[in-house]
Amino acid sequence: MNDWWRRNRVALVALVILLPLTAGVVGGWEWWKRAQGDTVFPVTAAAGETVELAGISFGPAAAREISIPGEELPPGTKVVSVSVTVDRDGGATPCSRPLLHELHGEGRTWGDDATTVTWKSAGFAFCPSDPEDESFPDGPFTIEVPYVVPDDVVGPLGVEFTVANELPRYVRLVVAP
């Protein structure tokens, strides 16, 4: 029996190395294929800073609690307004409408409520992509959107943008309302 172990030791060592390596490569490839369309890797900027992704400069971002006169909000909620400076250096790369993500606590996420609350803003809600549109910004512009969030939300919060051809990377700007 000892003779068999000695004759096959190279194959056994290769088996011990190659089996976990194969499982890791196959598992990693499957995870990567699944994660390519998801937001997995944040490119983060601290509060008051900027970050660049896909030739777009995002930030600084600011968040503040606001009141909208005459607006009836659901009980236990408040409106947080977020504004972000965006500069595409003359490009037309689109970006998503930003999401607001609770970085601590329950980790909740909210989409903007620009269409559900009375909201008049001179800013954009996303990065427009049609240079032929007369409202298309030539230089830096501001994305400004409201979020209806529960009263118990405390900072810091993350304002998150995706750029389709950059997934699974995405932008996260930290703000404190």
Side-chain angles (χ1 to χ4, degrees), residues 49-124:
E49 294 184 5
T50 62
V51 66
E52 189 171 312
L53 182 69
I56 305 173
S57 176
F58 293 91
R64 60 187 172 90
E65 186 177 340
I66 62 168
S67 64
I68 302 174
E71 190 72 42
E72 289 188 39
L73 297 174
T77 62
K78 61 185 176 183
V79 177
V80 173
S81 170
V82 171
S83 63
V84 179
T85 303
V86 177
D87 188 356
R88 297 183 291 192
D89 289 327
T93 305
C95 70
S96 67
R97 294 175 91 82
L99 295 175
L100 190 63
H101 184 85
E102 188 175 34
L103 298 179
H104 299 295
E106 296 180 39
R108 300 171 284 188
T109 302
W110 301 275
D112 76 86
D113 290 296
T115 58
T116 57
V117 296
T118 306
W119 182 251
K120 293 180 177 142
S121 169
F124 291 87

